[in-house]
């Protein structure tokens, strides 16, 4: 049985069900109680689970991220929100040096089963410090599991797995998708982390994309005469290159679209994996498409200019033939 | 509270243990046996022993500052495991992944150290939160140097601990220097004053007096256990050695240091006090030192005779695999 719910409802459901299932799951972040999060992602949770388990924090990402680390090591499963993905930088040391490394430097002794989630991506005119896609920053530090969600189905299934996973997981919903509706099973389900999904089968070209870019790529593909195979990596770190390689093996062509900036972005890494390991399955050089190398501007005209549009994706796909 | 004779003796033994162990580390480092750099504790032994004895086995220690080894010892990690870790051996507490700056031991509730100074205090608050959520009466003790208190992360940790009235004890080891930067140039009269705006219990004590440390930290732990919230304790000590082995200390006045060595050596002071009051005899101390030296020697043998990690082990422990939902 499925029903249609929004992406943001899917997230709230995922958190609520996991809190119900496991009393070690604690949610905290700025304004997660009555206010319910900037996008409604935590609405009503405190009423169901109480103020001890759904906790408002003072305004400090350092505190939230650092405390999540300690709480996880201490034996509970914190789910902590940063109000915007950009703010991972304000907890820079925690995000880059502490959380991903403590389990490793302990020789695997110490376990940090925490989830930090933070809305990412551009498109709402929120400007340069509220619109970034930071999965390339965080994916650059081994130790983080970096997960994104493209559909409500993903959002629920992947978030639940993120909470259950024993690694630190950085989970990135996309702001522009919050109201997107999609089919989500009535029954309990989870989706595996670390596995890419072939969302649409095709023969001529593999397009790898997530979040908003996935939806734009689908739109672009529908407009073309070629048969496009759409792959959503779902987890950026560690990356499931096997599924992407298999797809390219079949299609011979690769286009990677993502909302990280092109310079040192995820696109280049994914393309490189294929070039280096599966070069002879390629019939053409791969094409990478991302945010132009500028901060995200506010004016809708400027903002849309720097984001990959369906047209730019279309042209990118055409360019590999 | 006054310190009974047995505890007084325990404190002396623990300080001697730290000192002997560290003297050996110094020799091992000078001999080129140990990778990286080494920060030693001369002058801080009273702090570490006092704190260690005040804590229960089930209380967390999140190590900060830069004087580390004495804290690992005080939390009960066997010397062999520490030494092997300093050597980078597979038998070390962290199997050679951590080294001097990252000794941790979850079983003994030693969180370990954030080598970016001042980043360990928020995790300590998180550890306290976990205990609070689980309804235990365990506390988290976290140390930091005078230098580290300048980081925003330290102040954030005070905010969060006070916000939820969590069982955390912040111990500031003010040894007057952050490498070459003197703490006397910082504005507060006492670094424990940082607790004042948070309405947190705060006090500034002589950290070279091991009994004073034991008493203050015991009091703070007691309050935390009883739900009376966090405390900040400034322990004033003197760093009787270099910042790290090899530091030429060009920024220091050698005469002042000589005076400090006379007056502020916690080991020497406590030893003299116990001898004078007849709580221990020279003979007892000699016997104990002999036992300690054996233990230290064994730790070195253990480290030296242990295997290096296998090169391919470098790829282990980055992730716990399989990730959730993946097939094994
Ligand atoms: C965030 C950060 N900045 C700088 C350093 C380099 N560093 C290591 S120890 C130290 C001085 C620390 O002084 P203090 O906190 O007083 O501790 P102490 O060494 O005196 O025990 C500095 C600057 C560091 N490790 N981390």
């Amino acid at each position: 049985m499925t029903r249609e719910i929004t992406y943001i409802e899917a997230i709230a459901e995922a958190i609520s069900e996991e809190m119900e299932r496991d009393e070690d799951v604690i949610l905290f972040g700025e304004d997660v109680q009555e206010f319910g999060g900037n996008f409604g992602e935590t609405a009503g949770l405190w009423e169901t689970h109480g103020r001890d388990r759904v906790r408002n924090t003072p305004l400090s990402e350092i505190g939230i991220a650092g405390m999540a680390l300690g709480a996880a090591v201490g034996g509970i499963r914190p789910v902590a929100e940063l109000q915007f993905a950009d703010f991972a930088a304000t907890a820079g040391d925690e995000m880059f040096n502490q959380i991903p490394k403590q389990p490793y430097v302990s020789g695997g002794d110490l376990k940090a089963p925490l989830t930090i989630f933070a809305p990412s991506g551009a498109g709402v005119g929120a400007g340069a410090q509220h619109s970034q896609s930071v999965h390339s920053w965080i994916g650059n530090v081994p130790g983080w599991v970096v997960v994104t969600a493209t559909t409500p189905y993903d959002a629920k299934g992947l978030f639940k797995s993120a909470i259950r996973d024993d690694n630190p997981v950085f989970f990135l919903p996309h702001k522009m998708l919050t109201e997107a509706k999609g089919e989500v099973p009535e029954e309990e389900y989870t989706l595996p982390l670390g596995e890419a999904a072939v969302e649409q089968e095709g023969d001529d070209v593999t397009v790898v994309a997530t979040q908003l870019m996935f939806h734009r790529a689908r739109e672009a593909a529908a407009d073309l005469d070629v048969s496009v195979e759409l792959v959503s990596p779902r987890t950026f770190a560690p990356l499931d290159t096997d599924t992407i390689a298999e797809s390219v093996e079949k299609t011979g062509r690769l286009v990677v679209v993502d909302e990280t900036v092109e310079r040192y972005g995820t696109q280049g890494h994914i393309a490189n994996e294929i070039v280096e390991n599966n070069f002879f399955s390629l019939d053409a050089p791969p094409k990478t498409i991302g945010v132009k190398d500028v901060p995200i501007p506010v004016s809708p005209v400027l903002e849309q200019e720097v984001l990959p549009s369906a047209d730019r994706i279309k042209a990118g796909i055409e360019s590999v033939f | 509270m006054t310190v009974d004779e047995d505890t007084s003796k325990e404190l002396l033994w623990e300080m001697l243990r730290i000192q002997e162990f560290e003297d050996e580390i110094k020799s091992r480092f000078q001999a080129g046996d140990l990778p990286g750099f080494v920060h030693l504790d001369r002058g801080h032994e009273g702090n570490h022993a006092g704190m260690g004895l005040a804590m229960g086995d089930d209380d967390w220690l999140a190590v900060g500052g830069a004087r580390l080894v004495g804290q690992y010892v005080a939390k009960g990690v066997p010397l062999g495991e520490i030494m092997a870790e300093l050597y980078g051996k597979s038998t070390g507490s962290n199997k050679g992944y951590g080294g001097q700056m990252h000794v941790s031991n979850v079983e003994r509730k030693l969180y370990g150290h954030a080598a970016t100074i001042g980043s360990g205090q928020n995790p300590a608050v998180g550890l306290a939160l976990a205990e609070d959520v689980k309804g235990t009466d365990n506390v988290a003790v976290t140390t930091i140097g005078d230098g580290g208190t300048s980081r925003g992360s330290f102040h954030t940790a005070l905010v969060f601990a006070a916000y939820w009235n969590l069982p955390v004890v912040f111990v500031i080891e003010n040894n007057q220097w952050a490498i070459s930067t003197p703490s006397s140039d910082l504005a507060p009269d006492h670094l424990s004053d940082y607790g004042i705006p948070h309405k947190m219990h705060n006090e500034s004590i002589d950290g070279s007096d091991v009994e004073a440390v034991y008493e203050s930290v015991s009091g703070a732990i007691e309050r935390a256990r009883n739900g009376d919230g966090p405390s900040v304790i400034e322990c004033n000590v003197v760093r009787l050695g270099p910042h790290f082995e090899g530091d030429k200390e060009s920024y220091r006045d050698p005469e002042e240091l000589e005076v400090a060595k006379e007056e502020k050596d916690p080991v020497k002071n406590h030893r003299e006090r116990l001898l004078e009051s007849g709580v221990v005899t020279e003979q007892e101390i000699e016997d104990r030192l002999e036992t300690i030296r054996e233990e230290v020697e064994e730790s070195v043998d253990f480290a030296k005779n242990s295997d290096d990690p296998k090169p391919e082990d470098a790829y282990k422990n980055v992730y716990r695999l399989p990730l959730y939902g993946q097939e094994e």
Side-chain angles (χ1 to χ4, degrees):
Chain A
M1 279 288 286
T2 61
R3 71 243 135 97
E4 286 228 321
I5 61 172
T6 66
Y7 186 91
I8 213 72
E9 285 164 349
I11 288 173
E13 266 190 22
I15 303 172
S16 193
E17 284 180 18
E18 290 309 297
M19 292 191 77
E20 178 71 38
R21 188 185 66 86
D22 179 354
E23 62 176 28
D24 282 341
V25 176
I26 302 294
L27 171 70
F28 53 78
E30 294 157 23
D31 312 301
V32 296
Q33 288 180 346
E34 282 88 340
F35 181 72
N38 273 314
F39 301 93
E41 60 277 21
T42 60
L45 292 177
W46 71 273
E47 284 168 315
T48 315
H49 304 285
R51 290 180 191 276
D52 277 349
R53 296 186 63 209
V54 178
R55 296 189 179 215
N56 270 351
T57 66
L59 193 163
S60 172
E61 289 69 33
I62 287 173
I64 295 167
M67 200 176 58
L69 173 58
V73 172
I76 62 176
R77 287 185 176 267
V79 178
E81 183 177 41
L82 309 180
Q83 289 192 333
F84 289 87
D86 314 63
F87 305 164
T90 87
D93 195 56
E94 288 67 26
M95 296 297 288
F96 289 91
N97 278 319
Q98 304 303 323
I99 294 171
K101 293 173 184 166
Q102 288 303 82
Y104 185 75
V105 298
S106 72
D109 190 17
L110 175 159
K111 182 167 96 174
L114 60 90
T115 305
I116 293 188
F117 72 111
S120 82
V124 296
Q129 293 159 4
H130 285 76
S131 302
Q132 293 165 93
S133 289
V134 306
H135 37 286
S136 53
W137 301 355
I138 305 295
N140 189 252
V141 196
W144 270 115
V145 175
V146 179
V147 181
T148 59
T150 299
T151 61
Y153 176 70
D154 275 5
K156 184 167 177 192
L158 293 170
F159 205 152
K160 283 168 71 85
S161 296
I163 295 171
R164 294 185 196 188
D165 192 63
D166 279 344
N167 296 284
V169 180
F170 192 42
F171 182 83
L172 293 148
H174 195 286
K175 295 178 202 82
M176 288 296 285
L177 298 175
T178 52
E179 294 308 317
K181 285 198 164 178
E183 295 207 336
V184 171
E186 295 276 5
E187 312 77 53
E188 154 93 43
Y189 74 101
T190 59
L191 295 173
L193 303 181
E195 288 183 13
V198 177
E199 297 280 4
Q200 174 183 306
E201 303 224 7
D203 300 316
D204 302 333
V205 54
T206 299
V207 176
V208 175
T210 60
Q211 297 181 321
L212 184 61
M213 292 305 116
F214 177 87
H215 297 280
R216 288 195 176 170
R218 193 202 283 278
E219 202 184 314
D223 246 13
L224 288 166
D225 290 336
V226 296
S227 160
V228 175
E229 178 140 306
L230 275 175
V231 179
S232 162
R234 285 185 177 162
T235 303
F236 276 101
L239 181 71
D240 173 11
T241 40
D242 290 350
T243 299
I244 299 168
E246 255 171 55
S247 175
V248 176
E249 184 81 26
K250 179 171 79 169
T251 63
R253 292 182 163 79
L254 174 65
V255 176
V256 188
V257 195
D258 191 36
E259 231 184 280
T260 59
V261 287
E262 288 182 345
R263 187 163 64 206
Y264 309 128
T266 54
Q267 307 86 340
H269 173 64
I270 293 172
N272 178 61
E273 285 288 315
I274 300 302
V275 169
E276 200 163 316
N277 302 309
N278 309 89
F279 186 72
F280 295 109
S281 59
L282 286 165
D283 296 328
K287 175 77 186 163
T288 59
I289 305 170
V291 168
K292 292 297 179 190
D293 296 331
V294 295
I296 305 288
V298 163
S299 154
V301 174
L302 299 177
E303 188 181 44
Q304 289 308 323
E305 167 60 28
V306 305
L307 289 180
S309 61
D311 278 347
R312 215 170 110 206
I313 299 169
K314 214 163 95 182
I317 297 173
E318 283 170 334
S319 79
V320 300
F321 287 91
Chain B
M1 187 172 64
T2 48
V3 177
D4 63 54
E5 290 191 359
D6 283 348
T7 306
S8 256
K9 268 204 240 184
E10 273 310 308
L11 290 168
L12 180 63
W13 303 153
E14 193 68 345
M15 285 197 291
L16 290 172
R17 211 166 147 250
I18 292 170
Q19 202 181 348
E20 290 293 318
F21 187 51
E22 288 212 320
D23 284 351
E24 184 61 31
I25 290 171
K26 191 175 179 142
S27 311
R28 294 299 100 226
F29 184 73
Q30 283 166 351
D33 288 0
L34 310 181
F37 21 78
V38 164
H39 308 83
L40 298 177
D41 297 80
R42 282 303 285 122
H44 287 245
E45 298 89 340
N47 247 65
H48 298 167
M51 223 172 57
L53 222 64
M55 296 175 69
D57 288 346
D58 286 332
D59 295 326
W60 283 100
L61 174 62
V63 174
R67 319 285 127 211
L68 312 168
V69 172
Q71 303 186 54
Y72 305 147
V73 173
K75 191 64 179 101
V77 185
L79 302 190
E81 284 179 30
I82 301 174
M83 191 59 98
E85 190 58 34
L86 265 55
Y87 269 79
K89 294 297 183 79
S90 61
T91 54
S93 55
N94 304 29
K95 308 186 190 98
Y97 290 79
Q100 187 244 170
M101 286 193 279
H102 292 291
V103 169
S104 61
N105 190 320
V106 174
E107 241 165 74
R108 292 191 174 82
K109 296 191 108 170
L110 173 68
Y111 171 77
H113 174 54
T116 46
I117 302 266
S119 294
Q121 279 58 45
N122 290 289
V125 176
L127 291 164
L129 174 73
E131 297 294 345
D132 193 55
V133 165
K134 287 189 285 185
T136 72
D137 65 355
N138 303 324
V139 312
V141 176
T142 180
T143 52
I144 191 165
D146 43 287
T149 62
S150 298
R151 290 234 9 240
S153 51
F154 166 69
H155 296 272
T156 293
L158 298 179
V159 172
F160 275 60
Y163 193 72
W164 287 326
N165 197 44
L166 290 171
V168 193
V169 181
F170 297 92
V171 174
I172 301 169
E173 300 189 346
N174 183 356
N175 65 9
Q176 308 173 12
W177 295 100
I179 308 188
S180 69
T181 303
S183 62
S184 53
D185 286 0
L186 297 171
D189 294 332
H190 305 292
L191 296 178
S192 48
D193 292 354
Y194 287 137
I196 296 174
H198 306 289
K199 304 189 172 73
M200 213 178 264
H201 177 95
N202 62 91
E203 60 188 299
S204 179
I205 64 167
D206 179 0
S208 64
D209 176 348
V210 67
E211 293 192 356
V213 176
Y214 174 76
E215 287 188 16
S216 289
V217 177
S218 297
I221 288 177
E222 199 55 34
R223 282 191 298 278
R225 276 202 218 297
N226 294 335
D228 294 332
S231 302
V232 195
I233 302 171
E234 176 188 46
C235 299
N236 294 287
V237 296
V238 181
R239 197 185 81 206
L240 298 177
H243 172 69
F244 51 73
E245 292 311 295
D247 170 13
K248 301 271 185 296
E249 295 189 87
S250 52
Y251 49 90
R252 263 184 123 166
D253 176 350
E255 277 171 36
E256 259 179 47
L257 183 56
E258 283 316 306
V259 174
K261 281 180 180 166
E262 270 310 304
E263 293 174 0
K264 291 287 177 189
D265 181 340
V267 190
K268 182 166 145 288
N269 289 351
H270 193 57
R271 177 185 174 137
E272 278 168 10
R273 187 161 53 192
L274 295 196
L275 281 170
E276 268 166 33
S277 58
V279 173
V280 292
T281 62
E282 285 286 3
Q283 189 57 47
E284 252 182 294
I285 293 177
E286 276 317 306
D287 292 348
R288 180 56 78 137
L289 275 174
E290 200 170 313
T291 319
I292 291 173
R293 285 181 188 132
E294 265 170 39
E295 190 192 0
V296 170
E297 208 172 304
E298 276 166 21
S299 77
V300 177
D301 289 343
F302 175 71
K304 282 189 170 168
N305 295 325
S306 291
D307 290 335
D308 281 324
K310 297 192 203 72
E312 62 267 29
D313 288 349
Y315 307 101
K316 286 185 181 161
N317 301 321
V318 180
Y319 295 104
R320 282 177 186 257
L321 296 173
L323 300 182
Y324 190 84
Q326 272 183 329
E327 302 281 318
E328 205 135 352

